[in-house]
Amino acid sequence: MKKNLLIAAIALMAVAFVSCQKDGVYKPKQRIDKITRSWESTDVYSDASGQHEDKTKADPWVCEQWAWGDKTVESRTFTSRIWNLTGVSYASEKTTYSYDDKNRITGAQYGDHKIEYTYNDDKKFSKITVNDGANLESTVEINYDGKVVNSLKVTRFYPAKKCEAALAMVLPRQIVDVICNDSDEEIVAKDTRTVVTDITIEWDGKNIVKMDAKSDDATTVTTTYEYDGKLNPYAGFYCGTGVSAEMYSKNNIIKTTRTSKTVQGNTTITTETVETVEYEYDGKSPSTVKTTTVENRDYLLGGKHTITTVTTDVYEYTK
């Protein structure tokens, strides 16, 4: 089954094409200082013994802290809440960013992972390269129709270490799930193949309304988006989720629907996930973002699995 880490609420990136906004330059009116997260989840599933229900809850914790320089974001620290045999613990990872003399993002460092951002002759954002130490993990090629992005080509190289965490910094989670599925994790060191995922994009005005991702390992994901009329406050922010509807669209997403299909032998496994988002604003910037995610899974041997998660993010800005 696909892994769903439910981090879509973090990925609120936007508007690379707004007037006076240069690709790779992030100049928000309000600078995020930190994000505090809490969530609760209900898991309903059926098996041979009947229907079952499990509930879990996470009390508030600071999941993101931002550090700013004079003109740019210097770093972000992501903190995950983890359950283990001894209870709850927290793990933090710091991402640092580098820029050129025009204040355009050119790189990000996350542990051993190094991400490079490239621009074409038209000064448009054109390629992402992900490395794990000396190993090339993946590339993301960005293609345009005029001034708007219309397709992406993601290539993952083997043999390679697991790179889900690094890819999650530059792609939406559902597309990472297409590229890094469970079968990939079992690849032996002698395997030198590549996995290619092609992504097509549809627009309605200045918002992306549909993304189709198709991998050559028999997995497809279709994602549709609905928006409110508010301006997204993360204009031009490539650091983090490097290519997404959230990064390019002018308005805030209020609903995301994605359907994932994976062919295993003669069986097609389908997962449908619907996310609805509610915003509270302090002026023009979100102060609280509440995301309700409902995921319906089919099992290979039959049965259903429904996971409902409500995530609340509280934003604080620098003074």
Side-chain angles (χ1 to χ4, degrees):
M1 301 303 294
K2 295 292 177 290
K3 300 176 182 177
N4 186 348
L5 301 185
L6 302 174
I7 59 172
I10 297 178
L12 295 171
M13 316 305 171
V15 203
F17 50 80
V18 175
S19 61
C20 300
Q21 179 67 56
K22 297 180 180 179
D23 271 16
V25 177
Y26 179 47
K27 298 171 66 176
K29 293 183 178 180
Q30 284 190 283
R31 295 180 170 188
I32 296 172
D33 179 37
K34 64 181 179 181
I35 302 172
T36 300
R37 170 167 294 182
S38 60
W39 58 262
E40 55 185 26
S41 182
T42 303
D43 187 352
V44 179
Y45 58 96
S46 59
D47 56 23
S49 63
Q51 183 169 293
H52 309 273
E53 180 176 295
D54 293 330
K55 291 187 176 183
T56 54
K57 182 179 180 180
D59 294 328
W61 82 98
V62 177
C63 68
E64 285 194 44
Q65 290 182 294
W66 295 44
W68 292 82
D70 182 31
K71 295 182 178 181
T72 59
V73 182
E74 292 184 346
S75 67
R76 294 162 73 196
T77 300
F78 300 88
T79 300
S80 301
R81 193 176 191 270
I82 301 170
W83 278 269
N84 51 43
L85 294 177
T86 59
V88 176
S89 61
Y90 297 88
S92 295
E93 292 283 352
K94 185 177 182 179
T95 301
T96 58
Y97 305 106
S98 55
Y99 301 84
D100 62 15
D101 57 4
K102 299 178 182 178
N103 293 321
R104 297 185 305 180
I105 180 72
T106 57
Q109 188 80 33
Y110 173 87
D112 292 332
H113 295 288
K114 184 177 181 180
I115 301 171
E116 298 177 358
Y117 302 89
T118 304
Y119 302 84
N120 60 24
D121 292 341
D122 293 329
K123 301 179 181 180
K124 302 296 293 181
F125 187 43
S126 64
K127 188 176 181 179
I128 304 171
T129 303
V130 181
N131 293 279
D132 181 2
N135 298 319
L136 175 62
E137 294 279 17
S138 61
T139 60
V140 182
E141 299 172 49
I142 304 164
N143 303 303
Y144 291 83
D145 179 11
K147 294 184 178 181
V148 299
V149 176
N150 69 341
S151 66
L152 312 170
K153 180 180 179 180
V154 183
T155 305
R156 189 182 182 197
F157 300 91
Y158 295 97
K161 301 176 183 178
K162 295 180 182 179
C163 65
E164 287 91 333
L167 280 176
M169 296 169 59
V170 298
L171 289 170
R173 182 71 242 177
Q174 63 269 23
I175 294 175
V176 176
D177 289 342
V178 175
I179 302 165
C180 304
N181 60 38
D182 290 351
S183 61
D184 292 340
E185 298 172 6
E186 301 170 0
I187 292 173
V188 296
K190 293 181 180 180
D191 193 340
T192 57
R193 72 186 179 101
T194 60
V195 173
V196 176
T197 303
D198 291 305
I199 302 163
T200 57
I201 297 171
E202 295 182 15
W203 293 77
D204 181 7
K206 293 185 176 180
N207 292 321
I208 291 176
V209 293
K210 186 178 181 182
M211 297 180 73
D212 283 310
K214 183 176 182 179
S215 178
D216 57 12
D217 64 353
T219 298
T220 61
V221 173
T222 297
T223 309
T224 59
Y225 305 91
E226 299 176 24
Y227 298 84
D228 65 12
K230 300 283 189 178
L231 291 177
N232 193 314
Y234 295 77
F237 191 43
Y238 292 96
C239 322
T241 299
V243 181
S244 67
E246 294 90 347
M247 183 183 87
Y248 285 104
S249 297
K250 178 180 180 180
N251 301 119
N252 288 314
I253 293 173
I254 58 173
K255 185 177 182 180
T256 301
T257 304
R258 61 177 175 267
T259 302
S260 172
K261 295 182 179 180
T262 302
V263 178
Q264 296 184 8
N266 295 323
T267 303
T268 299
I269 306 300
T270 301
T271 300
E272 183 179 80
T273 304
V274 177
E275 294 178 351
T276 54
V277 188
E278 301 174 59
Y279 299 89
E280 294 180 9
Y281 290 89
D282 181 6
K284 293 184 178 181
S285 298
S287 57
T288 302
V289 180
K290 180 180 179 181
T291 304
T292 301
T293 304
V294 180
E295 179 177 339
N296 291 296
R297 299 178 181 175
D298 289 331
Y299 284 114
L300 184 61
L301 300 177
K304 297 287 186 179
H305 200 175
T306 300
I307 303 172
T308 303
T309 303
V310 179
T311 303
T312 302
D313 290 332
V314 178
Y315 288 75
E316 296 181 41
Y317 300 88
T318 60
K319 303 300 183 182

